[in-house]
Amino acid sequence: MSETRDTRLPFSLEPVLVGLLFGSIGLFGVIYGIGEWAPELASRHGAGIDAMMTYLMVTTGAMFLIGHLAMALFIWQGSRRTRISHRLASPRFEKRLSIALGVLMAVVAEGGVVAIGLPVWNEYFMAEAPPDAVTVEVVGQQFFWNVRYPGADGEFGATDIQLMDDVVNPIGLDRSDPAAVDDIVWLNEIYVPVNRPVRVVLRSKDMIHSFFLPHLRVKQDVIPGMVPELVFVPTREGTFELACAELCGLGHYRMQGFFHVVSDAEFTSQLERLASEQ
Amino acid sequence: MSEAHDPGFIRRYIFSTDHKIIGIQYILTGLVMGMVGGLLAVLIRIQLGWPTAQWELLERLMPRGYPSGFMAPEFYISVVTMHGTIMVFFFISYVLVSGFGNYLVPLQVGAKDMAYPLLNMLSYWFALLSAVVMMASFLVEGGAAAAGWTAYPPLSAIASAVPGSGLGQSIWLVSMAIFIASFTMSGLNVVATIFTMRAPGMTMMRLPLTIWSYFIAAILGLLAFPPLTAAAVLLLFDRHLGTSFFLPSGLVVAGQPLSFQGGSPLLWQHLFWFLGHPEVYVLILPALGIVGDVLPAFTRKPVFGYRLNVYSLIAVGVLSMVVWGHHMFVSGMSPFTGEYFTLATMVITIPMTVYGVNLVASLFGGRMRLATPMLFSLAAVALFGSGGFGGLFLGNATADMQLHDTYFVVGHFHFMIGGVTLMGTFAALYFWFPKMFGRSMHEGFGKLHFWGTFAPFFMVFFGQHFLGLQGMPRRYYAFNTYEYLEGTAGQNTMLSVLVMVLVAAQFVFMVNFLWSLFKGQPVEANPWAATTLEWTVASPPPHGNFGDTLPAVHRWAYEYSPDGTGEDFAPQTAGPNDAPITA
Amino acid sequence: MTTTATGTIAPWASTAPDPTAAQRAMRLHFGLWMFLATVTMLLAALSSAYLVRRSGTDWRPVALPSLVWWNTLVLAASSAVLELGRRRRAGLGLATGLAGASLLAGVFIVGQVGLWRALAAQGIYLLTNPHSSFIYLLTGVHAVHLLAALVVMLVTLATLGRRDADTRAALCATFWHFLTGAWVYLLALVTWV
């Protein structure tokens, strides 16, 4: 519909400001969001998670920008009109727009999930630990991570809650079990070799904890009574922080661990050092 | 009947069965609780913004929470828990859902009162009791509940797990049970009133979107809350009678082995989120409905795609019952279940996108008046869109692996059930204040309030999304020991400053509200030139709303500019001869 | 059904602000059914908790004492008496129906307490195993609802002279039959599942 000059209201500042407010949310939001936000990647499957993230950032960023600019435009235009320019769209147009939106969201949201998301999800959760994987058990408790390696026999020894003692035997390891003799138990420090699959067996003694390695894009809740396992491949040497990501009590914030990704040689020597200190 | 009705002050304003009085009681109670929740947010942000500072004033006010001027970590998580609980259940639920629900439903469907007025009064008194009980938990030994508003066991089940899991957690559960009883009574009233008491001619497809959204929200509330009741009962049994519904064997807490056997903490999460997810729609749908009705009044044209909006609301209501597992992607449930919940959650984006885009499209071609209710409605639309985009990240199991329980989640739900609902609440307050009290609120202060609220609010919670992307976990008392989070310290301080601005702006609202109650400009029946039925009666409406004859309804609620001028409108009661009927 | 120039009007709608007896009855029935829907959701949640918990390794099925079948019979009889009285069949009036049903309800409650004592006598307590926890919990939850319904029924009995007595009796009956059905369902759940 055409608009003639005399149907415009005179200029006033408020609509400009309000329009600018919404427009700049879109514009500055996108400018703020561009760039690398996540901690620097250090795992193989994490590349897939980052790809999913990038895809979502780009698609939602575009919609975010378009949406806010449209609002800004409509506010600016609408505030100067003395008559409405469009009243009702035809039912057919309304229906078509909804179908188009439905298809768009199905493609953007479901399509992203199916094409990028689920393959990563499957790689992460369905992975079988290969024979050369390094196995480590992590037992959460308020507010520590107990770390255990099976030692040379590759088997974890039995544990018994009656034997638990927070100072000398936090996981209640039964040293009379032959499999337990060479188990290495340690606190808060995890050593793994770079570029080899790591199998992490998680347990909790008390609360729900969550094993969160931000750089490795790993997060798994540890619900007491359940023994979830993770398999992933660290790809970069370095010391990465381990944080608890499920509220577990007043010391939740200081339940910090360190995940050391080291060379094969360094890994062997570290385990020897830990074994000698048992 | 209405003329002869003079029951005296107590019966009229305190123990009233009039839905308008009850609605206002709910709104005032909720606003007070909202102030409490807001002050708790200030405590949270002080701690996060300046984690190493010492606060002598706070120590003097709360010696137990601030030993030697530093916030105690157990007090911090109590505050976080209570902030969430109060804002979700006692602020938004009371003001927006029960408050405006009570006030608007009979007026907008054209009924004399709610279907069960006595039950309605009872629901308010239960609500007040539940709020008082919840507040009392701050005073007990060990302090208020500290297991988060989600109250996951074992943390919420074992008294030695955290100080707040002593008496505080029991009080929390009892208060929730009373709240659920109250909310059920209120929900029954809303559904029955909308379904059985519409004025002649008020077909379902002529109901304003506000009423549709309350209808869906009330049904969701009725169906989703009972599982939380069941879960609360089971948890109380575990806590006080020693059963093991949620508690597994082999627990060793604080060095003591416990005797529980074979229970499942995951079961609580399923029961909780079966409620919890529909609950967020119970909160957000009324805001979306209200926005859908406020926008047309200030663009002077019908809402875009009314029918499709209604279908979207229904679809969202149905879908919300089958997606709860997206809160539990990394809980250790079966990965196949995770895939299902991802795919199902993504389906919800479709009706929500239709609704959101239709709201934006409602602005197109309109003649806009930027009054305060309109500004807050626009803010709600922007937050709804932005928050929805965050939902695409969190509903996607793959992205959620990184983002779960980080500040991305905190930012997301503050945009949605924090922001859309808050902006919707303010839109409603400014829009219907003249109807409620016969006086209008001050526009200048209203606009000041808008700028002071929306701009910092958006920045704070937009910023939190990016804190989450940096891997900052939620419910942390401090971050200064984590090297990878060093860069967030400055951002956190900035956000805290913005929250102070946000909170300061609410004082503008409080002053405006109180001043306008007594000194505001007196208004006529229909100051906004709106079409729905409540605007056809006096402001404030008399007891019994419509007098001796209920209104007959001839058209939908969006007959703005039927002649295309931008000035004209036809109330729903206008007959076919008064103005052309366009839908 | 009345119609206007603009379309049909719902059959219950009129411009009189106060409802007729039929409208009141319809509203109350509607509300009751909504309430029963929420109670159904409560039972569904407890049932799913039961099914989840049942897969635990420490689940030991407990056999209920035979008293429970007599209790069930009493509750069913109470429902039948109420329904017959409400329909004024078999020589029963509304008052006798309500009174008889209340009396039988009392017998049922006493019987349920007897059931708990019989279980305790066998050494089966709340904490004995998860199945016994659920038995005590579910019978308890049912008894609480039943007591609430009993109070409503006694109030109805005491106010039979007031308006809408038949409607209120019908509401009582609906609630009561629902609770009888819920009991049969719960019994089947804890006995056979």
Side-chain angles (χ1 to χ4, degrees), chain B residues 112 116 206 244 261 548 550, chain C residues 6 15 17-18 27 31 53:
Chain B
K112 183 182 159 184
Y116 322 114
R206 282 179 184 163
S244 311
Q261 287 289 332
D548 295 332
L550 294 179
Chain C
T6 58
T15 51
D18 290 306
R27 262 169 221 172
R53 192 63 185 78

Side-chain angles (χ1 to χ4, degrees), chain B residues 249-578:
Chain B
S249 19
L251 288 181
V252 181
V253 178
Q256 295 299 317
L258 303 177
S259 61
F260 297 102
Q261 287 289 332
S264 162
L266 201 56
L267 175 60
W268 168 273
Q269 298 189 15
H270 279 293
L271 290 173
F272 182 87
W273 286 116
F274 184 83
L275 152 89
H277 198 72
E279 162 68 4
V280 303
Y281 288 95
V282 172
L283 300 177
I284 203 172
L285 290 184
L288 294 176
I290 284 168
V291 168
D293 284 355
V294 172
L295 292 182
F298 295 95
T299 55
R300 311 310 296 164
K301 65 190 277 285
V303 70
F304 184 91
Y306 169 78
R307 258 168 199 281
L308 291 155
N309 291 341
V310 170
Y311 300 151
S312 299
L313 290 175
I314 296 171
V316 167
V318 173
L319 288 170
S320 75
M321 307 284 284
V322 295
V323 297
W324 73 91
H326 65 218
H327 296 267
M328 301 159 59
F329 282 139
V330 297
S331 66
M333 65 180 185
S334 149
F336 298 108
T337 322
E339 288 182 3
Y340 157 73
F341 279 120
T342 294
L343 294 169
T345 303
M346 290 300 128
V347 175
I348 272 204
T349 61
I350 294 170
M352 289 270 86
T353 307
V354 169
Y355 197 97
V357 170
N358 284 359
L359 288 182
V360 177
S362 300
L363 305 174
F364 178 73
R367 190 205 135 193
M368 204 166 292
R369 287 184 297 169
L370 294 173
T372 313
M374 179 62 171
L375 291 173
F376 277 107
S377 297
L378 291 169
V381 174
L383 284 169
F384 179 56
S386 312
F389 296 141
L392 287 180
F393 287 73
L394 295 173
N396 182 321
T398 308
D400 187 60
M401 268 194 267
Q402 179 71 1
L403 299 174
H404 178 79
D405 260 357
T406 66
Y407 265 73
F408 195 95
V409 179
V410 180
H412 169 69
F413 69 68
H414 278 93
F415 264 17
M416 299 303 260
I417 59 166
V420 177
T421 54
L422 186 69
M423 302 303 154
T425 301
F426 283 133
L429 280 167
Y430 284 98
F431 192 66
W432 280 290
F433 187 95
K435 182 51 62 184
M436 288 178 171
F437 303 109
R439 294 174 185 275
S440 64
M441 286 181 79
H442 190 278
E443 271 293 292
F445 281 121
K447 286 177 179 172
L448 184 64
H449 176 220
F450 164 77
W451 284 89
T453 303
F454 178 53
F457 190 97
F458 200 100
M459 286 191 268
V460 167
F461 297 108
F462 190 75
Q464 289 194 347
H465 283 78
F466 289 90
L467 289 175
L469 285 171
Q470 292 163 77
M472 184 170 132
R474 68 192 279 211
R475 293 167 170 169
Y476 266 34
Y477 163 79
F479 299 90
N480 32 18
T481 58
Y482 289 86
E483 202 181 311
Y484 81 99
L485 293 173
E486 259 172 18
T488 62
Q491 296 167 47
N492 268 315
T493 311
M494 189 65 217
L495 295 194
S496 292
V497 171
L498 286 169
V499 167
M500 303 307 152
V501 176
L502 173 63
V503 169
Q506 305 319 304
F507 287 98
V508 177
F509 169 75
M510 279 159 57
V511 169
N512 192 0
F513 189 90
L514 293 174
W515 183 83
S516 304
L517 266 183
F518 303 103
K519 301 274 179 185
Q521 193 74 32
V523 292
E524 300 293 310
N526 192 358
W528 306 115
T531 56
T532 41
L533 294 180
E534 77 273 27
W535 303 106
T536 62
V537 295
S539 306
H543 185 74
N545 294 346
F546 298 100
D548 295 332
T549 319
L550 294 179
V553 173
H554 295 275
R555 59 183 74 236
W556 70 337
Y558 303 96
E559 212 72 276
Y560 291 101
S561 313
D563 58 352
T565 57
E567 295 289 341
D568 199 20
F569 72 100
Q572 285 187 278
T573 49
N577 300 329
D578 302 326

Side-chain angles (χ1 to χ4, degrees), chain B residues 210-276:
Chain B
T210 303
I211 297 303
W212 263 108
S213 65
Y214 279 112
F215 188 60
I216 308 285
I219 292 175
L220 283 182
L222 289 177
L223 298 182
F225 269 101
L228 182 64
T229 318
V233 170
L234 296 175
L235 186 55
L236 281 170
F237 268 59
D238 277 3
R239 289 175 54 79
H240 294 288
L241 301 174
T243 52
S244 311
F245 294 115
F246 300 126
L247 296 172
S249 19
L251 288 181
V252 181
V253 178
Q256 295 299 317
L258 303 177
S259 61
F260 297 102
Q261 287 289 332
S264 162
L266 201 56
L267 175 60
W268 168 273
Q269 298 189 15
H270 279 293
L271 290 173
F272 182 87
W273 286 116
F274 184 83
L275 152 89

Side-chain angles (χ1 to χ4, degrees), chain C residues 71-81 104 108 176-177 180 183-184:
Chain C
N71 288 350
T72 309
L73 215 58
V74 168
L75 190 60
S78 146
S79 249
V81 169
L104 287 168
F108 175 79
W176 200 251
H177 301 330
T180 304
W183 171 248
V184 172

Side-chain angles (χ1 to χ4, degrees), chain A:
Chain A
M1 253 176 245
S2 65
E3 286 184 39
T4 48
R5 272 215 163 273
D6 61 343
T7 64
R8 293 269 183 94
L9 291 171
F11 176 87
S12 83
L13 189 59
E14 198 193 356
V16 179
L17 290 178
V18 176
L20 274 178
L21 174 67
F22 286 92
S24 52
I25 283 174
L27 211 55
F28 290 113
V30 168
I31 291 171
Y32 185 78
I34 287 175
E36 197 54 60
W37 285 93
E40 200 189 337
L41 181 66
S43 72
R44 191 184 289 163
H45 78 279
I49 293 182
D50 285 10
M52 184 77 252
M53 220 62 111
T54 308
Y55 169 85
L56 286 169
M57 289 293 259
V58 170
T59 49
T60 60
M63 293 189 285
F64 179 86
L65 182 64
I66 293 167
H68 282 98
L69 291 182
M71 278 185 81
L73 180 71
F74 295 163
I75 289 166
W76 163 241
Q77 284 182 333
S79 302
R80 298 199 67 193
R81 285 198 191 95
T82 54
R83 312 167 59 93
I84 61 168
S85 71
H86 294 78
R87 185 168 185 273
L88 268 179
S90 72
R92 184 194 285 176
F93 178 75
E94 288 177 351
K95 216 175 288 172
R96 284 190 179 167
L97 179 70
S98 293
I99 291 168
L101 286 169
V103 172
L104 174 77
M105 288 318 285
V107 170
V108 169
E110 297 278 15
V113 167
V114 172
I116 309 175
L118 291 187
V120 182
W121 177 259
N122 289 337
E123 176 193 340
Y124 179 69
F125 273 110
M126 314 286 185
E128 287 289 323
D132 68 330
V134 174
T135 299
V136 54
E137 182 193 63
V138 178
V139 183
Q141 81 174 82
Q142 289 181 327
F143 303 99
F144 307 98
W145 301 98
N146 297 293
V147 180
R148 175 158 70 139
Y149 292 92
D153 63 354
E155 267 182 59
F156 289 115
T159 58
D160 182 350
I161 60 167
Q162 299 306 329
L163 297 171
M164 280 185 190
D165 181 300
D166 272 354
V167 182
V168 296
N169 193 358
I171 64 167
L173 185 63
D174 182 0
R175 288 286 182 188
S176 64
D177 180 12
V181 173
D182 60 353
D183 281 13
I184 301 167
V185 182
W186 204 246
L187 198 63
N188 287 340
E189 310 264 344
I190 306 169
Y191 289 91
V192 295
V194 72
N195 286 329
R196 254 171 70 187
V198 182
R199 172 170 161 253
V200 182
V201 181
L202 292 165
R203 290 199 291 129
S204 167
K205 278 170 67 177
D206 42 32
M207 300 299 134
I208 304 176
H209 302 284
S210 190
F211 183 82
F212 179 30
L213 292 167
H215 301 80
L216 287 97
R217 315 289 190 258
V218 165
K219 187 181 287 134
Q220 176 61 54
D221 284 7
V222 197
I223 294 182
M226 295 170 71
V227 187
E229 290 190 11
L230 298 171
V231 179
F232 57 90
V233 184
T235 52
R236 189 159 66 85
E237 287 184 36
T239 292
F240 305 107
E241 280 159 307
L242 163 62
C244 180
E246 187 65 67
L247 181 61
C248 60
L250 59 88
H252 171 50
Y253 70 99
R254 55 180 156 84
M255 190 163 163
Q256 187 177 19
F258 296 93
F259 193 80
H260 305 281
V261 181
V262 294
S263 66
D264 267 334
E266 165 98 25
F267 175 65
T268 317
S269 71
Q270 286 290 357
L271 277 200
E272 277 167 13
R273 177 178 69 82
L274 295 180
S276 70
E277 289 179 29
Q278 288 300 302

Side-chain angles (χ1 to χ4, degrees), chain B residues 160-186:
Chain B
S160 55
V162 64
S165 281
L167 195 48
Q169 187 69 44
S170 294
I171 292 181
W172 189 91
L173 287 165
V174 169
S175 167
M176 286 313 299
I178 303 172
F179 172 85
I180 293 169
S182 147
F183 209 66
T184 304
M185 292 187 246
S186 178

